[in-house]
Amino acid sequence: MSDSTQWFESLRISYEQGELNESDVNHNPIQQFNIWLQEAIANLVSEPNAMVLATANKNGEPSARNVLLKSADEKGFIFFSNKQSDKAKDLAENPQATLLFSWLSQHRQVIVKGKVSEISREESNEYFQTRPYGSRISAWVSNQSQVIKNREVLEQKVKEFMEKYPEEVPMPDYWGGYILKPESVEFWQGRPSRLHDRIRFTKKENSWIIERISP
């Protein structure tokens, strides 16, 4: 065994934070998700609404990045983005995506799979106007995913847009929200000896099928 392998082995921990049984789980996966989200917040998990958004383009080339969840209800999971970004281009070509929530201090994760579509401009603008002033300015400044010469380019553009919009900041046409409508939701609870609990909800017509799957 190499020194590198031994070093990684030293990072191994035993998952003993809890368990997940079919008798305890809420039969609505959105409600169960929000129960876990609130528990993550109560346990001071850093950025509890952070999630990995995994997409793939029309050629099947995958990409993943962290984004922030802004809403989760019966309609779906909502997040916002620059619509000229790499993730937006992926979703335009292939709307199927996966969300991964990792609440590692509680030895939990949730995987949500489904189809993504854009929400209305009105809904996007309603949220945009609640953002801090600096975040609204940044939406105008950043040509997301595009190569720039240096950071000074961004800082200069910030000054220009702050002069242009000293108070009210309109929402750019290329910015807005997306909603993922879940087709499956998996709840993972770490258990000792790697015999983890995995409960998966799969949407079938207007109901959810609940299954335990092997760790």
Side-chain angles (χ1 to χ4, degrees):
M1 183 180 293
S2 68
D3 290 342
S4 175
T5 301
Q6 290 178 336
W7 186 82
F8 276 103
E9 283 298 316
S10 72
L11 300 177
R12 183 180 292 272
I13 63 173
S14 179
Y15 297 135
E16 299 178 354
Q17 289 289 324
E19 59 186 40
L20 184 63
N21 297 309
E22 293 88 333
S23 58
D24 300 326
V25 73
N26 192 294
H27 284 199
N28 182 312
I30 308 305
Q31 293 180 21
Q32 179 63 41
F33 171 83
N34 280 304
I35 289 170
W36 271 21
L37 176 60
Q38 291 304 315
E39 290 179 358
I41 294 170
N43 282 275
L44 304 179
V45 172
S46 178
E47 299 273 27
N49 62 324
M51 60 187 186
V52 175
L53 167 65
T55 59
N57 62 21
K58 63 183 178 182
N59 297 320
E61 298 169 328
S63 297
R65 75 290 288 162
N66 280 292
V67 300
L68 295 178
L69 175 72
K70 293 301 179 180
S71 175
D73 57 27
E74 300 303 324
K75 296 178 183 177
F77 292 71
I78 290 179
F79 59 94
F80 293 84
S81 176
N82 183 310
K83 294 185 178 181
Q84 296 173 341
S85 64
D86 286 346
K87 57 182 167 296
K89 292 175 183 176
D90 280 358
L91 292 170
E93 296 178 354
N94 177 5
Q96 294 296 134
T98 296
L99 310 176
L100 170 63
F101 297 86
S102 296
W103 299 313
L104 300 181
S105 62
Q106 296 177 285
H107 303 161
R108 288 175 173 176
Q109 70 176 13
V110 181
I111 300 173
V112 186
K113 298 180 181 180
K115 187 175 182 179
V116 178
S117 60
E118 295 183 23
I119 66 174
S120 71
R121 181 169 176 80
E122 291 73 23
E123 291 176 285
S124 293
N125 186 59
E126 182 178 355
Y127 168 72
F128 185 81
Q129 297 306 326
T130 69
R131 304 181 86 204
Y133 174 78
S135 297
R136 283 176 281 155
I137 289 294
S138 292
W140 284 95
V141 169
S142 176
N143 295 322
Q144 198 171 102
S145 303
Q146 300 302 306
V147 175
I148 57 174
K149 183 177 180 181
N150 50 45
R151 185 172 179 82
E152 284 68 30
V153 172
L154 295 177
E155 294 172 348
Q156 180 58 39
K157 290 179 70 175
V158 167
K159 293 179 181 178
E160 294 172 2
F161 278 104
M162 288 180 69
E163 291 175 359
K164 184 175 182 179
Y165 302 122
E167 296 181 6
E168 299 297 322
V169 184
M171 185 182 74
D173 290 338
Y174 52 79
W175 193 94
Y178 293 86
I179 183 167
L180 182 147
K181 296 184 177 180
E183 297 166 359
S184 74
V185 185
E186 180 192 323
F187 296 87
W188 180 97
Q189 176 70 62
R191 296 291 300 274
S193 302
R194 295 321 194 241
L195 291 177
H196 312 306
D197 290 327
R198 296 175 64 188
I199 304 294
R200 182 178 62 196
F201 292 74
T202 305
K203 192 69 175 289
K204 185 174 183 180
E205 298 179 350
N206 295 319
S207 61
W208 291 98
I209 297 174
I210 305 176
E211 300 170 304
R212 174 176 288 270
I213 56 179
S214 175

